[in-house]
Amino acid sequence: MGADAATWLARIRALDLPPRIRIMNVCGGHERAITLAGLRAALPPGVELIPGPGCPVCVCPEEDVYEAIQLARHEDLVLLAFGDMLRVPVNLPRREIRTLEQARAAGADVRPIASPREAVRIARAEPRRQVVFFAAGFETTMAPVAAMLLEGIPDNLSLLLSGRLTWPAVAMLLDSGRPGFDALVAPGHVSAVMGAEEWGFVVERHGLPVAVAGFTPVSLLAAFYSVLRQWVEGRRFLDNCYREVVHPGGNAAARRQLRTAFEVTDANWRGVGRIQASGFALRPALAAADARRRFPSHADTSRKRVGQMPQGCDCARVVLGQIYPNECRIYGRPCTPRTPVGPCMVSDEGACRIWWSGGVRERRERAAG
Amino acid sequence: MRIQSIDGFVARCEARGVEREVSLFLMQDETLAPGDFVMVHVGYAIQKVTPEEARSSWELFDLALAAEND
Ligand code: SF4
């Protein structure tokens, strides 16, 4: 790539930019890098960087989290989940058990894991117990889950799957007619697996500039420069500013494994609703590993606010890029990483959590427009 | 992370003194050898990377940790 951050910034400043232009990212890693490096303040004032749907934990269906909590509490099993899932609250009254962490405190065998490999290890170590892996994530996480399944898992291990694809959420925003952004920075790790080509539709169908970015300030600034320059020059193409990692076609073996293990289905996103062809489901050949088949359903559709974000929480609008995190009515008061109200303040990939960790402590009113 | 040794689909990898077992199951189309660098996500290598790239990813990771610990 060559140029350093100062050079990219100078190139951006030299562009004849419109008074306002909004660039969306759809990756918690991007948002974290942008916030930690202070890139918002470094860019010209009219350039807005908008965090969009980039947090799989935030959009994991409320009813799936509820199901996981009930399985852990009412069946004799070990419930495994990625660490930041444990504190995501479901919509139950405060005196009831609302998170996996609270279920664990109440005696359920809930364990945080960092890798699907740990799930296999735990199930092998305890062959006489049922082990359920509550697996939420985007393509980058679902490829390892597919690998785990295809390499072979012990009979006592099953999956409560909540995998999601990234691009359909962006397609949904664009198809709505009011996407809320003028250009897209596409996610580096997702593209490393799936290939940058997945984002071609943003250019071809919607005529917006796109660039794939990595996770350093330099790679992000290169991508911002690319989309801004495309905008200014009236050209549109899919640029790749992360060539070191994102190769044409992505990781073909990983994509093959994703296809072998999963089919793509319509799926619910918490607070957002159903998005076409946006979820992973186990293929019939792997149905035996489906926790939803192995255990009776604990769903309770009579609960108040099933599927929604917690009361007062604006996560759904944060996830869709309609407001900035600190424009939520309860950002910082009472919602903080220590006392999170919504999943966006729980997960490492949630925009609220990232902004808070990055030092944004002031709430602000939504500006008109 | 840097691959130290490979045994079937499992590699021992190292970065900044931290050693880990990493699955190569998603890397079946690549020929990998000790000394190569891979990008690791939830215990699985997802792409081969250059040494420079591996280094910058780690710098970012350190930054993130520093922010969490303050
Ligand atoms: S500040 Fe808290 S309540 Fe508000 S959107 Fe973010 S996570 Fe939800």
Side-chain angles (χ1 to χ4, degrees):
Chain A
M1 185 160 314
D4 63 5
T7 311
W8 286 114
L9 273 172
R11 284 181 190 162
I12 290 172
R13 292 208 185 96
L15 291 170
D16 186 15
L17 293 171
R20 185 187 188 209
I21 180 161
R22 300 159 301 174
I23 307 174
M24 181 176 270
N25 73 73
V26 292
C27 168
H30 279 167
E31 185 52 32
R32 180 172 285 274
I34 287 167
T35 303
L36 290 177
L39 296 188
R40 281 197 177 80
L43 290 170
V47 180
E48 288 189 41
L49 303 180
I50 300 181
C55 168
V57 170
C58 304
V59 296
C60 178
E62 192 261 356
E63 51 282 21
D64 289 5
V65 185
Y66 179 87
E67 189 82 35
I69 294 171
Q70 304 315 313
L71 280 178
R73 292 187 61 203
H74 301 301
E75 306 287 338
D76 176 23
L77 51 76
V78 187
L79 196 291
L80 311 175
F82 291 120
D84 50 359
M85 201 49 129
L86 265 57
R87 295 177 71 213
V88 173
V90 295
N91 298 328
L92 285 171
R94 287 212 164 265
R95 60 183 181 281
E96 293 187 36
I97 289 180
R98 303 166 71 226
T99 65
L100 282 167
E101 195 174 58
Q102 290 168 359
R104 178 163 71 160
D109 194 346
V110 175
R111 305 182 201 173
I113 58 172
S115 167
R117 291 166 49 78
E118 271 178 75
V120 172
R121 208 153 43 228
I122 289 169
R124 290 225 168 92
E126 304 192 53
R128 267 182 289 281
R129 294 200 69 193
Q130 284 293 321
V131 178
V132 173
F133 174 20
F134 178 26
F138 288 143
E139 297 90 334
T140 322
T141 302
M142 284 304 119
V145 172
M148 174 197 84
L149 286 163
L150 298 177
E151 205 172 0
I153 59 171
D155 288 342
N156 60 326
L157 177 60
S158 57
L159 276 179
L160 182 61
L161 196 66
S162 290
R164 295 289 178 270
L165 288 91
T166 326
W167 71 263
V170 174
M172 186 271 290
L173 283 174
L174 287 165
D175 288 336
S176 76
R178 293 194 58 192
F181 60 94
D182 310 299
L184 182 77
V185 165
H189 288 159
V190 170
S191 304
V193 173
M194 307 303 285
E197 300 82 352
E198 264 206 331
W199 301 97
F201 77 96
V202 180
V203 179
E204 287 144 25
R205 289 208 354 242
H206 303 280
L208 298 186
V210 188
V212 178
F215 299 87
T216 58
V218 169
S219 180
L220 280 160
L221 286 170
F224 297 152
Y225 175 71
S226 170
V227 295
L228 290 170
R229 182 170 168 186
Q230 290 184 46
W231 187 271
V232 167
E233 295 185 348
R235 296 188 302 152
R236 301 288 186 262
F237 61 94
L238 170 61
D239 200 359
N240 182 358
C241 301
Y242 197 29
R243 285 174 199 278
E244 310 87 323
V245 178
V246 177
H247 310 307
N251 176 338
R255 280 186 16 237
R256 236 174 16 243
Q257 290 176 36
L258 275 169
R259 265 197 316 275
T260 309
F262 306 130
E263 52 198 18
V264 172
T265 59
D266 295 351
N268 235 358
W269 294 49
R270 185 174 189 175
V272 174
R274 250 183 141 57
I275 301 181
Q276 258 184 7
S278 69
F280 290 106
L282 289 165
R283 292 244 179 232
L286 293 164
D290 190 349
R292 291 183 174 94
R293 289 182 182 227
R294 196 172 293 191
F295 301 99
S297 170
H298 290 277
D300 175 5
T301 46
S302 67
R303 289 180 300 124
K304 271 198 194 145
R305 300 179 62 84
V306 168
Q308 298 181 30
M309 290 297 182
Q311 190 119 36
C313 163
D314 282 330
C315 276
R317 298 183 67 203
V318 171
V319 162
L320 295 177
Q322 293 167 350
I323 62 168
Y324 285 114
N326 62 343
E327 289 171 338
C328 166
R329 289 156 291 174
I330 54 176
Y331 181 86
R333 226 170 50 189
C335 188
T336 67
R338 263 176 223 283
T339 53
V341 174
C344 298
M345 196 59 98
V346 174
S347 171
D348 286 338
E349 293 175 284
C352 298
R353 168 77 177 266
I354 292 167
W355 279 42
W356 187 268
S357 307
V360 180
R361 299 289 150 95
E362 294 297 314
R363 226 189 69 72
R364 75 165 204 198
E365 291 304 321
R366 176 94 189 125
Chain B
M1 303 187 82
R2 186 170 181 275
I3 297 177
Q4 295 183 305
S5 59
I6 299 177
D7 179 13
F9 287 126
V10 179
R12 275 218 76 79
C13 293
E14 183 270 340
R16 303 231 171 149
V18 181
E19 274 197 35
R20 254 193 230 135
E21 259 191 14
V22 169
S23 170
L24 302 181
F25 202 77
L26 291 167
M27 302 296 294
Q28 295 184 32
D29 292 357
E30 293 274 351
T31 327
L32 292 169
D36 286 342
F37 286 82
V38 283
M39 169 150 312
V40 177
H41 182 66
V42 297
Y44 287 72
I46 57 168
Q47 249 327 335
K48 196 170 166 179
V49 299
T50 60
E52 297 76 48
E53 180 55 34
R55 204 154 33 238
S56 57
S57 309
W58 274 94
E59 273 161 22
L60 200 68
F61 184 62
D62 282 355
L63 267 179
L65 283 184
E68 288 293 297
N69 293 336
D70 67 12

